[in-house]
Amino acid sequence: MAGRINEEDIAKVRETARIDDVIGTYVTLRNAGGGNMKGLCPFHDEKSPSFNVTPSRGMYHCFGCGAGGDVIKFVMEMDGLGFSETVERLAEKVGIALRYEEGTGPSRSSGGPQRPRLVEAHKIAAAYYADQLATPEAMTARQFLDTRGFDKDAAAHFGVGFSPRGGSDLTKHLKQLGFSDAELVTAGLAGDNNRGLYDRFRGRLMWPIRDSSGDVIGFGARRIFDDDRIEAKYLNTSETPIYKKSQVLYGIDLARREIATASQAVIVEGYTDVMAAHLAGVKTAVATCGTAFGDDHARVIRRLLQDHDEFRGEVIFTFDGDAAGQKAAMRAFEGDQNFAGQTYVAVAAAGLDPCDLRLQHGDAAVRDLVASRVPLYRFVLGNVVQRYDLDRADGRIDALREAAKLVTAIRDRSKVDAFARELAGMLGIDPNDVQREVRRAASRGNDTASGGRAAPAPAPAESLGMPDPRDPRFLLERETLKLVVQYPQVIAAVLKEVGPEDFTHPAYRAVWAVVTLAGGPPTVEDASWGARLQANSVDERVHSLLTALSVEPIRTAKAPDAAYASVHANRLREVTVMRQIADLKSKLQRTNPIDDQLEYNRMFGDLVALEQHRRMLREAALDAT
């Protein structure tokens, strides 16, 4: 039976799997200077990016929530994997053959199927379905694709396939390849009716659903046969350990980089709409999988857009022009607060979805649809106003009252007055009357909100025992430790006199203890230094602080050299000596030289020595500048 993964191989995976590439499949990262990259944190919701990645040291840290670590920890946290599973997954992606202390293959947990097995089963299933699309039985499926404007190449590009009608064809195929009944049921690929396993999807057109890294994690299945006993037009994979429909977007693997580049995401309603949009040149299109667009979907999009107050993207929803489409627009408007950038709606004049629009009017019509988008708030206001008879005074008043509530919900407060004037034009009411009603609606909303529970404010860093990185009292300590963590070989030679007493903040002193425990900073470049520090930080708060110190930029425009390190080490020691001098002077003032002349003389001699040492440290720091 396989045992632990060889430690050298773990280190090799950590060094080879580029942290910016791995994190970049979940978060859009942009250069932040000094070799750092920055994006929106995937571990908490934020409007301004505080998530930092330093590829040169293979570390990440969020200055908002404190999450941090290396590439292995990131994947563990994002995908809910164990340590060994994560190492195995990363090793497979970067082409490293792992060695085990006992045996030659990966271990299998007795706790049931795990992600690597479930992903592998889906990968094989996707290839199997794609092959089945070419069989005579799949003629109806191919005809359906043809009527929707998708040829063989389009089907291959999106991995579209066909599930045979036999009932257990895929199950038998996977079991022959060594997958257990429990794995297939947990994966959502098979069901169990007490007479044995059966295929979850039978006689349907199949779309593989991939996560942002390209792993197949589920399927969407469309009904194509009239005698299908399941009448639902679409079936989707049920919730599994790897498939969470509230977080899954079809096409995200293909659109991810385009979304980041264009700072635009187009939300369509179905699999064929995604295909049509991409083939028409709108390669930022994605769709939800059998569920409404929700808060978790918004977080995924925001991280890829890097949608924040300083760098705003745009999100474009395409809805059908019917009542269901208007209802979907209202839901999207309710979630508009999730975005910092502008939200839009694109609705074809005849109410056609992107797939039908492409069929009837060509690729250019799909591109024009996206280009002709209108702000979401305007679309929603228009829908509200249309429901009332504006030829009647009471109709106009009722429309005003409902629309005013929507205006108060608009995220950008500086635009409320402009929107109120626009509403006045829609209704034919004096703008001053509209603005008064908007203010009344806002007041009623605030009164209602004040009766509810307010979200607790984040606790200050100090209350958690963690230092504020901007606190001027500890800047010298922090900068010195950043050098120790990031450039140990540069500062090692000047740390001989530095000790725990030089760090006045308990958290920084704890970091220094970890440095000491790790054997002190190496004098030559050592790729394993960061990992050794992390391994010796058993306290989660210290671990978080270490990751912060490893990614936070050094406070100099150029790469730190020996002189820069010397200045900080000597000034750190000088500050400590100054504290000792102050303490000694205070004690001297409290000592009567007549009553205890020997002690007084000893302390006076110590004071002279400390003053000389302080001057020496000051001169050393000045010489280095």
Side-chain angles (χ1 to χ4, degrees), residues 338-382:
N338 289 318
F339 298 102
Q342 182 65 61
T343 48
Y344 296 88
V345 174
V347 178
L352 300 175
D353 60 33
C355 185
D356 287 331
L357 187 63
R358 177 173 178 262
L359 268 177
Q360 296 184 25
H361 302 289
D363 290 347
V366 179
R367 296 192 295 270
D368 290 344
L369 170 66
V370 174
S372 62
R373 61 198 181 277
V374 297
L376 176 59
Y377 80 86
R378 186 176 296 161
F379 180 81
V380 171
L381 284 178

Side-chain angles (χ1 to χ4, degrees), residues 166-194:
S168 59
D169 300 68
L170 175 66
T171 298
K172 291 176 181 176
H173 178 65
L174 290 170
K175 290 185 71 171
Q176 288 173 354
L177 294 174
F179 289 91
S180 68
D181 289 5
E183 287 174 328
L184 299 184
V185 172
T186 302
L189 296 171
D192 189 348
N193 58 10
N194 296 322

Side-chain angles (χ1 to χ4, degrees), residues 191-203:
D192 189 348
N193 58 10
N194 296 322
R195 294 195 300 260
L197 298 191
Y198 61 90
D199 289 350
R200 174 75 173 80
F201 305 107
R202 303 178 299 281

Side-chain angles (χ1 to χ4, degrees), residues 538-585:
V538 293
D539 187 293
E540 187 61 34
R541 292 170 299 179
V542 177
H543 184 91
S544 175
L545 181 53
L546 270 169
T547 61
L549 296 172
S550 69
V551 303
E552 189 175 307
I554 301 295
R555 300 168 69 88
T556 177
K558 60 180 182 179
D561 53 16
Y564 186 82
S566 179
V567 167
H568 283 78
N570 284 310
R571 283 183 176 170
L572 185 70
R573 285 295 300 144
E574 182 188 2
V575 170
T576 301
V577 172
M578 288 172 67
R579 286 196 301 270
Q580 293 170 344
I581 289 172
D583 291 342
L584 195 53
K585 283 182 176 180

Side-chain angles (χ1 to χ4, degrees), residues 484-485 488-489 491-493 495 511-524 526 529 532-533 536:
V484 170
V485 173
Q489 72 279 7
I491 198 171
L495 289 177
V511 169
W512 180 256
V514 170
V515 170
T516 304
L517 193 61
T523 56
V524 295
D526 183 352
W529 173 238
R532 294 212 309 276
L533 290 176
N536 283 290

Side-chain angles (χ1 to χ4, degrees), residues 92 108 115-133 159-164 168-180 183-184 187 189 199 201 206-210 214-219 242:
E92 182 181 2
R108 296 292 176 222
R115 180 184 173 96
R117 291 287 286 172
L118 302 186
V119 169
E120 182 65 17
H122 276 83
K123 178 181 177 182
I124 294 171
Y128 177 81
Y129 288 145
D131 290 341
Q132 293 299 309
L133 187 61
V160 183
F162 172 75
S163 55
S168 59
D169 300 68
L170 175 66
T171 298
K172 291 176 181 176
H173 178 65
L174 290 170
K175 290 185 71 171
Q176 288 173 354
L177 294 174
F179 289 91
S180 68
E183 287 174 328
L184 299 184
L189 296 171
D199 289 350
F201 305 107
M206 305 296 296
W207 280 269
I209 300 169
R210 297 181 172 89
D215 286 338
V216 180
I217 56 174
F219 290 94
I242 62 172

Side-chain angles (χ1 to χ4, degrees), residues 32 49 100 130-131 140 164 247 271 288 290 316 322-323 325 333 379 402 407 472 476 516 537 539 565 567 572 584 605:
Y100 295 79
D131 290 341
T140 303
Q247 303 170 11
Y271 306 119
T288 60
I316 304 169
D322 56 14
F333 185 79
F379 180 81
E402 184 174 351
V407 172
L476 188 56
T516 304
S537 58
D539 187 293
V567 167
L572 185 70
L584 195 53

Side-chain angles (χ1 to χ4, degrees), residues 52-66:
N52 288 257
V53 179
T54 305
S56 62
R57 284 177 288 281
M59 302 296 291
Y60 71 92
H61 183 83
C62 175
F63 290 95
C65 70

